[in-house]
Amino acid sequence: MKKLLLAATTAAMMTGAGIASAVEIAGNVALTTDYKFRGISQTDGGAAIQGGFDVGFDSGFYLGTWGSNVDFANSLELDYYGGWAGDLSDSVSVDVGYLYYDYPTSDSEDDYQEVYASISFADFTLGAAISDDYYLETGDFYYVYAQYGFEIGDGWAIDLHVGVNEFDEELFLSDGADSYVDYSVGVSKDYAGVTWGLSYVGTDLDEDEVFGEDWGDDSVIFTISKSL
């Protein structure tokens, strides 16, 4: 599922019909002790290797793909997305797009899609995502979130996140639950050519709302990522 791509970019110049445009290609790979998506573990608390590529254009349009191992759907997730991101002013930017979650080695009912949008101002981001039929055909899904990221001395970055997950039907969670809150606090730093990250991730879910599992419990996650 789509993640913040900690990637350096390389630029290639392409000229067509007498018009020059720049294309930026970005890639990344990461190793994490747990793959949590919106606060819920996708790897049953186990490690994951992840990576992706993005292509961005001068116009603001972009395309990308991202993948990870998971502990369901025959162990593989691949995401495909595209959208537009740009500045409305010196301090305000927006990002709108479409995201398809693909589990290519599993049944087609595992796949689903979302449209998303966010607006950023200063160090704050407010965003939302909507699915017309969430994972395992569990109906409409709505997600709204807020993020705040800032840097402190000597290159340390702090990221704060809170999101609200709303389900139209009581199918995705157990015990009649139809909504939950996820949150995270992360710190990261570039060192020796890689990015080192430590985050505290959790939800307000009880285990009986997650089929008796600890997938939504609070946990500390360590991640190493590398730009390509």
Side-chain angles (χ1 to χ4, degrees):
M1 301 172 181
K2 188 183 174 187
K3 294 294 177 291
L4 178 65
L5 302 180
L6 301 171
T9 60
T10 58
M13 298 303 295
M14 300 177 63
T15 304
I19 300 176
S21 60
V23 176
E24 291 187 341
I25 302 173
N28 70 97
V29 63
L31 178 64
T32 183
T33 56
D34 191 1
Y35 169 21
K36 284 203 169 184
F37 177 64
R38 294 171 182 162
I40 296 180
S41 178
Q42 310 294 293
T43 49
D44 194 18
I49 185 167
Q50 305 168 334
F53 289 95
D54 294 274
V55 179
F57 303 90
D58 262 0
S59 60
F61 288 99
Y62 60 86
L63 297 169
T65 184
W66 182 88
S68 176
N69 62 287
V70 293
D71 193 53
F72 58 94
N74 291 330
S75 303
L76 179 62
E77 175 193 331
L78 294 175
D79 302 339
Y80 312 100
Y81 49 89
W84 181 87
D87 296 330
L88 300 182
S89 69
D90 290 342
S91 59
V92 179
S93 60
V94 297
D95 183 3
V96 294
Y98 169 85
L99 174 57
Y100 187 81
Y101 300 89
D102 184 24
Y103 302 90
T105 59
S106 187
D107 296 334
S108 60
E109 66 184 19
D110 291 329
D111 300 352
Y112 65 101
Q113 61 187 355
E114 289 181 349
V115 292
Y116 59 86
S118 66
I119 183 167
S120 299
F121 45 95
D123 296 324
F124 292 91
T125 298
L126 298 175
I130 300 173
S131 175
D132 62 347
D133 199 5
Y134 204 53
Y135 179 69
L136 288 179
E137 301 178 350
T138 50
D140 294 345
F141 168 76
Y142 310 93
Y143 186 64
V144 294
Y145 67 91
Q147 292 182 177
Y148 178 57
F150 59 98
E151 291 189 358
I152 57 178
D154 200 27
W156 291 92
I158 307 296
D159 292 289
L160 310 175
H161 168 96
V162 62
V164 178
N165 302 256
E166 293 280 350
F167 302 89
D168 189 50
E169 301 180 29
E170 299 174 358
L171 296 174
F172 182 77
L173 300 170
S174 59
D175 198 32
D178 60 3
S179 67
Y180 74 95
V181 175
D182 70 89
Y183 46 83
S184 66
V185 178
V187 59
S188 62
K189 180 178 175 60
D190 293 339
Y191 179 75
V194 298
T195 300
W196 307 80
L198 192 67
S199 57
Y200 181 83
V201 182
T203 72
D204 65 347
L205 289 166
D206 296 326
E207 288 190 6
D208 58 359
E209 295 172 318
V210 199
F211 305 95
E213 303 290 346
D214 62 358
W215 303 331
D217 288 359
D218 293 4
S219 60
V220 176
I221 300 173
F222 175 64
T223 303
I224 304 174
S225 59
K226 170 68 177 178
S227 301
L228 304 176

